[in-house]
Amino acid sequence: MDRDAGQLQGIRAVARMAGVSTSTVSRALNGYSDVSAETRARIVKVAEALGYRPSHAAATLRRNATRTVTFMVSKPWTKFVDPYFLGILDGLEMALTAKGYDLQVTLAREFDRELDTIRRIVASGRSDGVIFGRTRPQDERIDWLKREGVPFITVGRDGAGDHDWIDRDQASIGRQAVERLLSLGHRRIALLSAPLRYTYATLTRDGYLARLAEARIDPDPALQVECYLSHSTGAEAVGHLFSTGADPTALVCGNDLIAMSAMEGLRGLGLVPGRDVAVIGSDDMPQASLVSPALTTFGQNLEAMGLRLGRMMLMKLDGRPGPFREIVDSRLIVRESDCPVPAGAEAWTWA
């Protein structure tokens, strides 16, 4: 076995025993400041017990011990991966392979086991960095990775936003959706939000509420419905809104699946989406332009977002100084599902 191979085996042995990634071992033993004192002490103790001493060659390898980055996909809505993340994965894979890295994708099947999945990824020593999405305002995954000094970037932010991330401007999406509907004369604008345990849903709601306040419209709690991750969730929300007399003339939906389900719900009530009730989605899924009426929504270049995410991770693994944080703008794509306030409904002119 040559010396470099022996060093690589040694660093992997330390990583396994310390329960961290190989890149964290390298960062700890080479003096990087983003490894906590507790984690560094544990790694040093294990290294001493194994008689491992990093050589100059091992130091030059640093974060390149496995040349693999792991993307953890949260449990999807269906049996397939969320199309939003599929688009990002295309760009991410291109950025990583261009620099000789492999991308591996791991599925976390249960919401409450995602941290366990990340711990297994790190303990395996087979990944230099971790990426995941569906971040939460209080996110134990982010807290743990920060404590352990593991290189990671998220698609989305937690409440503090003081780690490395890339994200859409979700608050702007909420604001722009309301602005579009105000311009069409709507006043009773409902929000069918994604689960509020996710940061992107709370940010969209913040933008929605802020624009209503600017227009001097008191937000009606009866017009705000939290939806869940199922194909029927939008239809169920629409049924609730109209059965309780909330009677919105427009719907701002937290994502396109909610919006398309809501349109089915409207049809079930004898209402025509895009004529009787305006509907706006959020992420321009491939189906959005194919449904009838075609869905007005917000889109962005997901492949470019993935490329940027990959380059951010590569810079991080190369030891470049951070922070690495980026907001990606989304554009409103006007199709057929939004419409002026219908005849007979209360029109409104704002200052």
Side-chain angles (χ1 to χ4, degrees):
M1 181 185 298
D2 62 36
R3 185 177 180 184
D4 287 355
Q7 284 288 326
L8 189 53
Q9 270 201 357
I11 199 171
R12 286 175 175 167
V14 174
R16 282 193 299 272
M17 287 193 64
V20 298
S21 69
T22 51
S23 57
T24 302
V25 173
S26 289
R27 297 179 80 82
L29 297 181
N30 286 286
Y32 285 85
S33 61
D34 59 355
V35 181
S36 69
E38 179 185 356
T39 300
R40 190 188 309 278
R42 186 168 79 249
I43 290 170
V44 169
K45 183 176 181 180
V46 170
E48 289 175 349
L50 294 176
Y52 173 75
R53 297 289 184 275
S55 69
H56 174 72
T60 62
L61 288 172
R62 293 200 301 259
R63 291 148 302 280
N64 300 332
T66 71
R67 300 195 75 82
T68 298
V69 171
T70 299
F71 193 107
M72 186 189 75
V73 179
S74 299
K75 185 177 182 180
W77 294 45
T78 66
K79 293 181 180 178
F80 304 100
V81 176
D82 189 331
Y84 177 77
F85 288 114
L86 281 178
I88 291 174
L89 286 170
D90 280 344
L92 175 60
E93 193 269 342
M94 283 192 287
L96 294 177
T97 56
K99 295 297 183 180
Y101 278 78
D102 291 323
L103 173 65
Q104 66 179 5
V105 178
T106 298
L107 174 63
R109 294 187 175 277
E110 301 297 334
F111 176 83
D112 58 358
R113 300 300 298 274
E114 290 177 345
L115 179 56
D116 291 339
T117 300
I118 286 176
R119 285 173 169 155
R120 285 197 299 272
I121 292 168
V122 171
S124 73
R126 294 194 295 268
S127 184
D128 294 336
V130 178
I131 300 172
F132 60 93
R134 290 195 184 164
T135 51
R136 307 188 274 274
Q138 302 293 327
D139 202 311
E140 62 179 357
R141 302 167 300 175
I142 291 172
D143 294 340
W144 185 83
L145 287 164
K146 285 163 65 176
R147 285 196 304 270
E148 295 301 309
V150 177
F152 76 100
I153 301 177
T154 61
V155 182
R157 294 161 270 175
D158 64 1
D162 59 357
H163 63 285
D164 295 329
W165 48 262
I166 190 167
D167 200 4
R168 299 191 303 169
D169 192 342
Q170 296 289 160
S172 177
I173 287 173
R175 293 178 65 93
Q176 289 183 65
V178 173
E179 177 67 33
R180 167 70 179 172
L181 294 167
L182 290 174
S183 73
L184 293 169
H186 294 275
R187 181 171 183 174
R188 293 197 61 74
I189 302 170
L191 174 66
L192 276 57
S193 77
L196 293 173
R197 66 188 181 190
Y198 298 123
T199 311
Y200 80 88
T202 65
L203 292 172
T204 303
R205 180 191 59 183
D206 290 347
Y208 161 88
L209 293 173
R211 187 62 189 94
L212 288 178
E214 289 170 4
R216 290 180 253 173
I217 299 176
D218 291 330
D220 185 349
L223 289 172
Q224 300 171 46
V225 182
E226 182 179 6
C227 298
Y228 295 91
L229 304 186
S230 75
H231 280 302
S232 62
T233 187
E236 292 168 357
V238 164
H240 170 77
L241 286 169
F242 284 92
S243 68
T244 57
D247 297 339
T249 63
L251 309 175
V252 174
C253 300
N255 55 51
D256 286 359
L257 283 175
I258 292 174
M260 288 185 281
S261 174
M263 290 198 293
E264 285 298 310
L266 291 171
R267 281 189 280 266
L269 296 173
L271 298 169
V272 178
R275 188 193 72 185
D276 300 322
V277 179
V279 181
I280 296 181
S282 181
D283 43 22
D284 196 26
M285 291 176 58
Q287 303 96 309
S289 62
L290 303 176
V291 296
S292 180
L295 182 63
T296 293
T297 187
F298 289 85
Q300 55 286 306
N301 188 329
L302 293 177
E303 184 177 290
M305 189 172 174
L307 280 167
R308 182 58 187 152
L309 174 62
R311 290 167 184 159
M312 290 165 68
M313 176 58 81
L314 290 168
M315 288 189 288
K316 188 176 181 73
L317 294 175
D318 195 42
R320 307 275 186 91
F324 301 104
R325 297 167 193 159
E326 187 166 325
I327 289 284
V328 176
D329 289 330
S330 298
R331 61 186 180 89
L332 178 64
I333 303 170
V334 177
R335 295 192 178 111
E336 301 167 351
S337 66
D338 63 333
C339 58
V341 66
E346 180 184 7
W348 180 65
T349 302
W350 58 94

